[in-house]
Amino acid sequence: MPMISARAAIQKLQSGDIVAIPTETVYGLAGSIASRPAIEKIFRTKERPYFDPLIVHVIDLNSADHLVSAKPKIMQELAKEFWPGPLTLILDKTSHVDDLITSGLPRVALRSPQHPIAQEILRSTGPLAAPSANKFTKTSPTNAQHVLDEFGDVVDVVDGGPCQVGLESTVVGLDSGYLEILRPGRILAEDLLPFAQKHHLEIRSASAKASPGQHAQHYQPAVPLVMVQRAMSENSLREVVAQQIQKEFTLKYLQLPADPVLAARLFYAELRKLAEDSTAVIVADPSRWSWSGDTADLMDRLKRAARLVIH
Ligand code: TXA
Ligand code: MG
């Protein structure tokens, strides 16, 4: 049975197996950091290359003392403010973190998820490595059915309902004088700013090199997605699609709410729905949604999910 209880998940995790668990951002494919076979199985199941490091999930920063060699004051303050929640902190690791988890990098990514089921499981299992529960480069799962659609009978999943945040956590690290955003998320730059200012740090977006998982092709739906970034008629759009993607297609416009919080919550599920029609070419035109505020996270996911961006 692919749907299992939190209790059964705890047993599986304790015996070195992997399970998909709900978090408030996206579902994660979890395994104990103490089990090398479990970590290997995560990479294998996701078909994820070993150069793409995993986030380690913990109940709180104190429980991660043995995993990190230092806890800079600003990171402690960020954890106090935003944990449990959709923020991942990059910290110097100790030898208690397997190099396989960090892809040989000297730092480890830590996050305390807010979902009550994730917390219940973590309290019993201890730290869990968990990337999003999707195949490498594909759309992230925001409900239990998405995980089953992705992995079938191969992965057991604990159903925790639809994810409330809907996009992966904001990932931040420190780099001489900067608080770097390695991946934008729903914890916005403006939320981080008072903490950075207090410590005389500037906020900047990190280069792709700093975050090996941030490759250009990511989050891709099963059918092509075209992102439109300038005003153009549907006819000229059809011409471009016919020339550059495929001859026969059904154009499907991605519809998202104007409120970025709701848009983030629905984003991956809407992509999956549209991709059920195998003839579909999905069109994402952000100007239609009249988003206001910081939507760096949504724009980042859209650009990476896109087969083609029309500037
Ligand atoms: O919201 C989330 O963060 C979800 C849920 C399940 O917690 N997890 C998630 O994991 O998105 P994943 O594996 O799909 O993305 C993790 C990304 C990596 O691709 C990489 O960019 C960055 O986090 N990362 C992990 N460890 C790192 C490290 N040591 N140094 C730099 N970047 C790291
Ligand atoms: Mg992912």
Side-chain angles (χ1 to χ4, degrees), residues 278-301:
S278 64
T279 68
V281 168
I282 302 173
V283 181
D285 179 356
S287 70
R288 295 177 151 235
W289 305 318
S290 321
W291 283 338
S292 60
D294 184 346
T295 52
D297 54 345
L298 284 155
M299 294 301 273
D300 169 71
R301 303 312 188 276

Side-chain angles (χ1 to χ4, degrees), residues 19-99:
V19 181
I21 64 169
T23 86
E24 74 280 19
T25 58
V26 300
Y27 275 66
L29 189 56
S32 168
I33 66 161
S35 166
R36 185 163 252 235
I39 302 303
E40 284 171 346
K41 192 166 173 186
I42 290 174
F43 280 99
R44 226 175 26 246
T45 308
K46 271 187 68 90
E47 296 165 23
R48 178 166 171 141
Y50 282 109
F51 62 73
D52 191 357
L54 309 179
I55 294 175
V56 173
H57 295 70
V58 292
I59 201 79
D60 55 28
L61 196 53
N62 285 337
S63 67
D65 269 346
H66 61 301
L67 305 178
V68 296
S69 59
K71 293 192 287 191
K73 195 89 188 32
I74 184 174
M75 294 307 217
Q76 293 182 36
E77 291 170 3
L78 289 173
K80 188 154 184 274
E81 179 75 14
F82 297 109
W83 281 11
L87 182 69
T88 294
L89 304 174
I90 308 275
L91 294 163
D92 290 337
K93 81 174 195 76
T94 65
S95 58
H96 289 284
V97 182
D98 196 324
D99 285 331

Side-chain angles (χ1 to χ4, degrees), residues 23 25-28 46 48 52-55 57 88 90 102 105 107-109 111 130-132 168-169 171 182-183 210-214:
T23 86
T25 58
V26 300
Y27 275 66
K46 271 187 68 90
R48 178 166 171 141
D52 191 357
L54 309 179
I55 294 175
H57 295 70
T88 294
I90 308 275
T102 61
L105 295 170
R107 302 195 294 172
V108 60
R111 178 166 106 81
S132 50
E168 296 84 351
S169 60
V171 179
L182 287 83
R183 179 177 68 187
S211 190
Q214 294 307 92

